[in-house]
Every structure is written in C-alpha cells, then in structure tokens.
Amino acid sequence: MTSPEFVRVAPELGLDRLFDYRIPKFLQGRVLLGQRLRVPWGKREILAYAVEFPRKPEVEKVRDVTEVAGERPLIPPGLCQLARWMADYYACDLAAALRTILPGPVRSHEGGGKMAWWISPAPGKDELAAKVLRGAKAQAKAWEHLQRSGGAWLTALVKESGMGTAVWRALVDRGLAERYEKRYVRDEEGPEAGWPDAGKKPVLADEQATAMRLWEEERKKEGGGRPVLLEGVTGSGKTEIYLRALEAVLAEGRNAVVLVPEISLTPQTVARFRGRLAGQRVRLCVLHSAQTAAERRESWHEIREGRARVVIGARSALFAPLENLGLIVVDEEHDGGYKQGESPRYHARDLAVVRGRIEKAPVILGSATPSLESAYNADREKYFRIRLTKRVDGAKLPKVQIIDLRKEDKPKTGGPVMLSAALRQALEERRKKGEQSLVLLNRRGYAPSVQCPHCGRVEECERCAVPMTYHRSLGRMKCHFCDAEKAAPAVCPECGSPQLKFTGAGTERLEEGVLEALPGVRLTRMDSDSMKTRGAHGKALAAFREGRTDILLGTQMIAKGLHFPKVTCVGVVGVDAALNLPDFRASERVFQLLVQVAGRAGRGEIPGEVFVQTYTPFHPAIQFARHHDVSGFQEQELEYRRAHGYPPFKRAILVSFSGPSEAQASASIRHAAARLRNLWKGRVEVSEPGAAPIARVEGKFRFQLFLLVDKVPELMGDLKREVLAPKWPTGVRATIDVDAQDLL
Ligand code: ADP
Ligand code: ZN
Ligand code: ZN
C-alpha cells in the first residue's frame, strides 16, 4: 500500500468540522490514524487529529501538515475506525462520534504537568531474564523488584530499592523493561493496593471447565474467533469465566475491557474483579458517571499510557483507549442500559462486537437471559454459544408460583390488590424463620395516576401527555417524563367532586401495604427516590446483607446482579402494566426481569420460592419464566418476531419529529415519509407516520415513522438527506434511531 497523500483532520478544540491537508514527503508514512498533528490555521498553527485518509481532498487548495505531534497516535487507531463505523451506522457525523470517544476533559486539557519516567516490566520476558541476568546480580534484583511492583515511577524505584538509575536503564536496554515518559501523577498507588486478594481461585465446576476450553479454542481462531454468547443461569459461574478469561489474556500481555450495565448498582462485581487482580499486580480502572472532569482525564491518560490494563465501566467504557486488546466482556448483555438515548444512539453491546472485529479481540457476551438479537446470532452461528445450565453451588432454581389476581379478594378499603394472600403468608413465614425476601414493583411513587371517580378525569402533566404520579413522601404529584411537580388537587377541577381516587400502586404504596400486613417488619424501600442521597444505596445493601433488614422492596434496582444468600422468597408485583406497553419487546423485557429476579432467590441449602402476581397468568412471558425455560421462550418469541418482520429478522429504525407546533411537526414528518416512499418504491415499505405513543413530552408534540429494513447502511444516505439535512420549520427537530430500543 502506498502511504496516503492527504489527511482529514478534526481540530482538537472543536471537533465539529473536518479539514483536509496534504501530507508532505518528509512525513509520509508517519501520519497514522488518530495521530495528533500540527497544521497551519490561518496565520497560526493548531493541533488536530488525523481521522481519515481521503483519496481526494474536498477543497482545491490544501495546505501541508506542519509536523507530527507525539510519537504515537493519541487516539488508538482502532477507535478511529470505530468512530467511522458509528458515524456510518448510527447516522451521526464523524465529529459527534469522535466527541463520544474522546471526552471533553481529555481534549481541552491535554498536556500540562511535569513529565517523568515510568518503568514497567516487559511482558513475557521471564525466560529471557533468566538467561541474560545470570551474571548481573544488581540487575537481577532490580528485575525481581520490578516484577513485584508491576511498574513504577523511576524516582520511586530508586528510592525504594536503593539502586541507581543506571541499573534500571540497563533493564530497558536489554528489552526486559519498558520506559515511557508521561505526566507525573503524585498519588500513585501501588497496583490495587488495599484490596484483599480474593484468595484462592475456586476449582472450576465441570461445565465451567468445558466452557473455558471451548472459549480457548474459539479465540485461537482467525481474528479472535466469533463473539461468544455465554448463556448461563444466574449463579452458574459466568463471572468466574470472565475472570479466568481475563487472567489468560493478561498473562499474554494483552488488555481488557469489561462492561457492566450500571456501575453504581454492581459494586459486588467490581469488588470481585479488584480482588482477583490484586493477586496479579495489574491495575484496574473503574470508569463511572460520578467522576469529575479531572478524574476522567486522569483515568483516560492512565489507560492510554498503559498503566491501567483492565477497564471496567458502563457503556462508554467501551471507548477506553486501550491498545492490544485481548478481551471485551459485556456482562448482562441484554440490558437496556447499553443503548445510548441521545445521539450518537449507539448500542454498546453491538459496538463491542464491532470493536472486537476491528481489533481482532475476542468478545464475550454474558447473560442468563440473552437478548433475542444475540440468541438469534448464536442460532445461526454468527456467535458461538456456550451454555452453563447448573448453579455452581448445586442449588435448585426456585419454584415459581403464578398467582391469579382475578381470583383474589378485593381489599375492603378499596384500592388495588397489592399483596395476595399467598405472598403475604410467604413473607410472614420468612420473617419468622429469619430468612429474607425481595419484593419487586417496577414503578416508583405512590400511585401512577389520580382520577376522579365521578367524571373520570385523570390529572395529566401540562407539558407531557401522561398521567402524573402521586408521591406521598412529597405530598405532591410528579411527572416521570419531565419532572414537573404540582400539588394534588383537593377537588376535581372538572366537576368539583371532592373524592379523588389514587389508581394503581407504586413502591411507596406497596411499602405501606406490606407494613400494614406485617406490622413491625424491617423493610427498606429501594428506588431512585429513596436512594437519592450519596451512599444510601450502599448502606441499604450492607444492612440487608448483614440481616438488619427483612425485606428489600423496590424497582428493578433490586434485580441487578446482587447475591444475598439468605434471600429465599421473591415477590413480583405489577407485571401487567409492563406487559401491556405498545412495544414489540414488552414480552421479552418482562421475561428477562422475571428470570433475573427469580435468580436472586435460594442459594445453597435453602430452596427459594418466587411469587408472581398477575391478571394474565397464561401470558407466555410468565409461563416460560415460571419454568426457567429460556430456550423455549427464545424459540416462541423468535417465531412471533419472524412472523411480524420485527428484529432480529429486520432492523428497526425509528424516525422521530418533534416540535412545539403539532401541525408543523406532523406536516414535516409526512413530507419526509412521502419523499422516502418515493425513493424506496418496491424496496422498503414506508408506512404512514403517526403520533408517538406518548404524544407530547415537555410541551413538544411527537411523531414517529417506524421502519423495518433488511440492511441499514445502504439506506443511510437517503435517510440523512431526507430527514436530518432539510431545513425544517423553526423548532422542529428530526432524529434517527437505528436499532431503536425505546419506542414510546
Ligand atoms: P453468575 O455470574 O453466573 O451469576 P458467579 O460467577 O457470580 O455466577 O457465581 C456464583 C457464585 O458461585 C459466586 O459466589 C462465586 O464466587 C461462586 N463460584 C463461581 N464459580 C465457582 C466454583 N467453580 N466453585 C465454587 N464457587 C464458585
Ligand atoms: Zn370529576
Ligand atoms: Zn411532564
């Protein structure tokens, strides 16, 4: 390949527009993707990133790149390619994709601070060291020291060991150690100091050992093998597989990214990784949304410079600037949190697969309840499926009882049935035995709506077309879409009737019901309202783990990745609302939630029991969950999806228009739809656009066009041109969501 003649760059301080330059002779071959360059800019010079190599520049007069800044690309080339892929697939511009990958704090404050030497052992050099260091006593001692520390500032090494700089330089010269110049950070901790070594590694169960063998075989294949779908029931030891895989690639000197759905809700998982890595002398970097700009910048450089070799975090951690990637893990791959809600609307699980392909890194997607997209990919062998069917501790999966609410007596006080007799009794028994229970209701607040029994009027948000939720703790009504609040009216504003009714139940009301039914029970409510203050979530979990609480009641927060050995009873309340949402994934989501939360019951000796209260006991999502039948559910649900041409058989693209004027938003989307229909005649069906299920949010009227297509990329040009590019009336906003997850 001849080296490129032109380069397209994104200016460091404003990635918004891209500019073309010529690569002068003396720099040819030295300009890599992601490299920082000095380029002329008017009469000045600026720094910019090389993001593409166009065959021909977009403008006639191009100026020459002045110089290459830094030895290697600041953005790893693999991530530049990923940005390109994102821009093409998710219909955003390259600049937006780059901004996602290279966070603001990293761009704006690059450099600064004192530079110093960092020395780390070169991986895989044990044999060489044994050979060449035989006669060199001091160097052998230094090598040993370096091995133990895993890497340190040169100044610190000299101080700790009492050996001068010459000895360390000799190790570098012999290729046994690596030396980088980087910005000096004062409070350098040792590799994960302070974390207890998680102790002995467990002996793998038979299924786990088989899984490891299969994984090893697959990843040796070309390009890191196919992505592995690790489908294992809760408690089957999936996390242990991630840890082993991680150890294997670290030992080879390669690095890894581990994605978890929500970092703040998975402290136990993070602690396990830390504990295991403590024994490996490898630094791990946890990325989370609570980090300050400075911390984020620090983490980024720490990763880029190779000091942290394992990165754990939520979806954006996928963009960790690691090189030499040996593993990408996506835990709970079915989780909706992997999809970004605003542009670029990427799905981190799908991008993980793409990044793995670009960097030839093996990918593991793990779940007890895989998404139908992944299940389908495994069925047709695009992914390689590995199953874990048994719980490690030998515990049986809990027995699931379906409680038919149609047969339940209505409470005499009026109001909804919250606790069935069977669930009440089960909770009571567990408390007497000193065992614990979880109660799940995925709806916060006291009552989802306030209605006048006389005229039927429901209190709606003024800005959104949704009922307002009554929050008893606030004594007010709140809109869950825009956070607007108002006082609950004393009389019906429509007909003046004084008796307003709370319909349905949220966690606050259920809490009240449980406390009434079981006086004196020690209950903690866990939802985003009750866990607002910093540290509240951790405290509540600790209290529960230590047995100071009998019942943990809450939203899906309680269903995520937690292990409590004393939980033997799980109650699930209010699944019907979720089943009835106008979304083709409603069934899948309910099934996943039921299986996940059921997996929290019963560990070891004591078997668990699960109670699901519903008005639709024969719904397939409920029946398959009852039998823990993941394959059965996948099969039936895939059949339904195939029949309707829904994902994973087609790709769903949601085109949305919104604006303060209903007429304008509606006319704009109809105009776009007509143009697309014309362009795609006979190729793609374009139905009539309609109002979104939630027709108004924050005062903006919303319209949608739902497209089911075979392939995304070939339609993207048309979509961008007809939807994003036109100048719509003021206030009208058009968006494209590829592989849309949120259809409301
Ligand atoms: P999953 O991720 O599938 O829910 P985990 O890896 O968390 O499963 O394993 C469940 C529990 O079993 C954890 O407490 C873990 O420490 C333990 N465990 C995992 N593998 C083994 C093993 N081979 N031997 C003993 N205990 C194990
Ligand atoms: Zn009324
Ligand atoms: Zn609102």
Side-chain angles (χ1 to χ4, degrees):
M1 219 176 76
T2 55
S3 61
E5 194 181 344
F6 301 102
V7 59
R8 187 159 291 160
V9 305
E12 182 161 81
L13 288 178
L15 297 174
D16 272 320
R17 281 187 56 202
L18 307 179
F19 301 89
D20 293 347
Y21 288 85
R22 182 195 310 279
I23 303 173
K25 275 259 149 44
F26 79 101
L27 286 180
Q28 275 181 13
R30 283 181 58 202
V31 178
L32 306 170
L33 212 53
Q35 189 96 38
R36 278 164 90 219
L37 307 172
R38 286 184 195 288
V39 295
W41 185 263
K43 290 193 174 130
R44 300 184 297 140
E45 236 174 45
I46 58 163
L47 285 166
Y49 302 102
V51 294
E52 269 184 298
F53 296 107
R55 286 240 306 276
K56 267 185 14 204
E58 256 175 6
V59 287
E60 250 168 55
K61 274 191 67 174
V62 285
R63 300 172 73 182
D64 282 2
V65 173
T66 317
E67 187 48 279
V68 166
E71 226 175 290
R72 25 173 230 154
L74 187 69
I75 311 176
L79 283 181
C80 277
Q81 279 174 267
L82 192 65
R84 177 80 264 170
W85 194 96
M86 265 169 93
D88 291 343
Y89 189 84
Y90 291 111
C92 64
D93 47 38
L94 185 58
L98 284 168
R99 261 196 310 263
T100 306
I101 285 178
L102 199 64
V106 177
R107 273 178 279 132
S108 51
H109 278 79
E110 228 282 312
K114 195 172 107 206
M115 301 299 278
W117 290 108
W118 173 267
I119 312 279
S120 59
K125 291 289 156 71
D126 290 2
E127 266 176 50
L128 178 68
K131 224 182 300 162
V132 301
L133 295 181
R134 209 164 288 151
K137 241 186 170 171
Q139 285 175 36
K141 214 171 118 201
W143 164 252
E144 222 172 84
H145 183 95
L146 196 58
Q147 287 274 298
R148 256 202 317 278
S149 75
W153 295 109
L154 179 58
T155 46
L157 287 172
V158 169
K159 210 160 112 195
E160 289 162 16
S161 69
M163 288 182 283
T165 50
V167 180
W168 303 100
R169 191 160 327 123
L171 288 184
V172 175
D173 292 343
R174 286 181 187 270
L176 295 172
E178 286 166 1
R179 187 175 77 159
Y180 309 93
E181 190 182 17
K182 19 194 218 197
R183 277 167 328 108
Y184 183 69
V185 199
R186 215 192 345 224
D187 290 316
E188 187 65 30
E189 320 158 35
E192 295 314 323
W195 281 93
D197 186 9
K200 288 146 224 75
K201 280 191 249 176
V203 177
L204 291 185
D206 287 351
E207 275 193 333
Q208 286 175 309
T210 308
M212 276 312 290
R213 210 191 60 235
L214 291 171
W215 177 72
E216 286 289 359
E217 274 170 25
E218 187 63 30
R219 79 173 175 124
K220 301 248 151 69
K221 292 185 184 159
E222 206 195 316
R226 291 168 288 171
V228 162
L229 178 62
L230 183 62
E231 187 175 320
V233 299
T234 40
S236 60
K238 293 184 292 297
T239 311
E240 185 59 36
I241 300 291
Y242 308 151
L243 289 166
R244 298 286 174 126
L246 184 63
E247 287 173 319
V249 304
L250 288 174
E252 292 165 5
R254 301 179 76 190
N255 307 319
V257 175
V258 178
L259 301 186
V260 292
E262 258 169 280
I263 199 87
S264 63
L265 299 182
T266 41
Q268 288 173 321
T269 309
V270 174
R272 268 173 82 186
F273 275 86
R274 280 195 191 278
R276 190 62 68 83
L277 292 178
Q280 296 256 323
R281 299 185 236 106
V282 169
R283 248 181 103 70
L284 165 149
C285 179
V286 178
L287 301 178
H288 51 87
S289 54
Q291 278 174 316
T292 63
E295 287 168 336
R296 214 166 294 175
R297 184 165 62 238
E298 205 49 64
S299 301
W300 202 89
H301 287 289
E302 196 177 9
I303 298 163
R304 185 67 190 112
E305 288 155 10
R307 276 181 287 150
R309 294 179 52 204
V310 178
V311 177
I312 299 195
R315 62 172 180 259
S316 64
L318 177 69
F319 305 118
L322 288 164
E323 274 186 285
N324 194 11
L325 257 187
L327 179 68
I328 305 177
V329 171
V330 184
D331 188 25
E332 309 288 7
E333 67 85 31
H334 65 278
D335 197 282
Y338 286 124
K339 175 83 168 159
Q340 167 132 309
E342 60 227 42
S343 181
R345 297 181 167 76
Y346 67 90
H347 198 301
R349 179 235 301 144
D350 298 341
L351 273 192
V353 170
V354 175
R355 185 167 185 194
R357 196 163 61 218
I358 291 172
E359 311 208 19
K360 300 188 176 21
V363 176
I364 302 181
L365 311 177
S367 176
T369 51
S371 62
L372 286 165
E373 282 80 359
S374 297
Y376 179 60
N377 278 326
D379 286 349
R380 48 183 190 147
E381 301 190 350
K382 274 186 75 179
Y383 295 173
F384 177 53
R385 182 188 261 125
I386 299 179
R387 281 205 171 94
L388 296 175
T389 62
K390 295 191 202 82
R391 284 184 158 185
V392 177
D393 56 10
K396 291 234 164 39
L397 286 168
K399 189 168 159 219
V400 180
Q401 303 206 26
I402 312 295
I403 297 165
D404 187 346
L405 285 182
R406 295 170 306 181
K407 297 183 185 150
E408 204 70 25
D409 294 332
K410 292 265 175 317
K412 288 185 203 71
T413 51
V417 182
M418 284 185 294
L419 270 192
S420 59
L423 179 54
R424 178 173 3 91
Q425 200 183 343
L427 293 174
E428 177 76 64
E429 274 169 21
R430 307 295 144 149
R431 175 167 63 142
K432 281 196 191 128
K433 283 199 264 182
E435 293 167 17
Q436 293 177 304
S437 304
L438 295 177
V439 180
L440 173 81
L441 170 56
N442 210 4
R443 201 164 244 259
R444 61 201 178 86
Y446 187 82
S449 63
V450 180
Q451 195 176 27
C452 168
H454 189 68
C455 73
R457 179 194 153 102
V458 171
E459 285 301 313
E460 280 198 354
C461 174
E462 276 159 28
R463 311 172 63 210
C464 312
V466 292
M468 289 184 94
T469 300
Y470 180 66
H471 285 251
R472 176 156 283 181
S473 51
L474 299 172
R476 293 165 75 78
M477 294 192 301
K478 207 168 166 174
C479 170
H480 286 185
F481 281 81
C482 72
D483 274 340
E485 275 183 29
K486 66 177 175 191
V491 297
C492 174
E494 193 81 31
C495 73
S497 162
Q499 286 175 322
L500 294 181
K501 213 178 93 187
F502 296 119
T503 47
T507 45
E508 284 185 354
R509 194 172 200 177
L510 182 61
E511 173 186 27
E512 183 185 87
V514 174
L515 290 175
E516 255 168 38
L518 310 174
V521 75
R522 296 171 305 170
L523 179 148
T524 303
R525 193 181 94 228
M526 184 175 274
D527 54 33
S528 53
D529 299 314
S530 68
M531 297 292 137
K532 240 188 217 122
T533 56
R534 223 186 136 107
H537 183 251
K539 263 189 220 149
L541 290 182
F544 193 61
R545 187 167 309 117
E546 290 158 16
R548 285 183 275 129
T549 318
D550 303 311
I551 297 178
L552 197 57
L553 175 152
T555 56
Q556 49 153 4
M557 252 188 192
I558 66 168
K560 292 223 162 136
L562 305 173
H563 295 299
F564 299 111
K566 277 195 280 181
V567 170
T568 58
C569 173
V570 172
V572 185
V573 178
V575 293
D576 297 301
L579 277 175
N580 294 330
L581 290 176
D583 181 333
F584 68 90
R585 288 194 182 87
S587 202
E588 178 183 6
R589 297 215 177 97
V590 169
F591 175 78
Q592 286 162 345
L593 188 64
L594 289 179
V595 173
Q596 294 285 344
V597 74
R600 311 284 150 236
R603 300 255 160 179
E605 310 282 284
I606 317 170
E609 245 184 324
V610 178
F611 297 84
V612 181
Q613 300 186 167
T614 175
Y615 287 98
T616 53
F618 298 106
H619 194 288
I622 293 178
Q623 285 297 327
F624 282 112
R626 175 184 187 186
H627 296 106
H628 307 281
D629 186 357
V630 175
S631 306
F633 177 77
Q634 286 173 358
E635 212 173 290
Q636 155 148 2
E637 187 66 15
L638 282 173
E639 208 38 64
Y640 160 79
R641 301 275 182 97
R642 186 197 301 275
H644 290 78
Y646 285 139
F649 299 94
K650 298 244 184 187
R651 302 260 173 190
I653 302 178
L654 191 68
V655 175
S656 310
F657 279 65
S658 70
S661 150
E662 187 170 7
Q664 282 184 344
S666 163
S668 303
I669 196 169
R670 277 188 281 114
H671 180 78
R675 302 263 315 186
L676 289 173
R677 199 172 294 134
N678 215 19
L679 278 169
W680 296 343
K681 225 177 275 160
R683 282 194 295 153
V684 181
E685 199 183 321
V686 181
S687 59
E688 200 48 43
I694 295 168
R696 191 165 31 96
V697 169
E698 299 191 4
K700 306 256 167 53
F701 293 87
R702 307 164 80 226
F703 291 87
Q704 293 181 344
L705 179 60
F706 187 58
L707 300 168
L708 292 164
V709 308
D710 288 314
K711 281 225 164 69
V712 172
E714 57 214 40
L715 304 175
M716 227 11 119
D718 293 342
L719 268 176
K720 279 188 179 173
R721 200 176 54 250
E722 302 302 337
V723 174
L724 299 183
K727 266 218 164 340
W728 301 110
T730 317
V732 172
R733 216 169 82 90
T735 58
I736 295 173
D737 186 356
V738 179
D739 296 333
Q741 296 281 325
D742 179 3
L743 306 183
L744 301 183

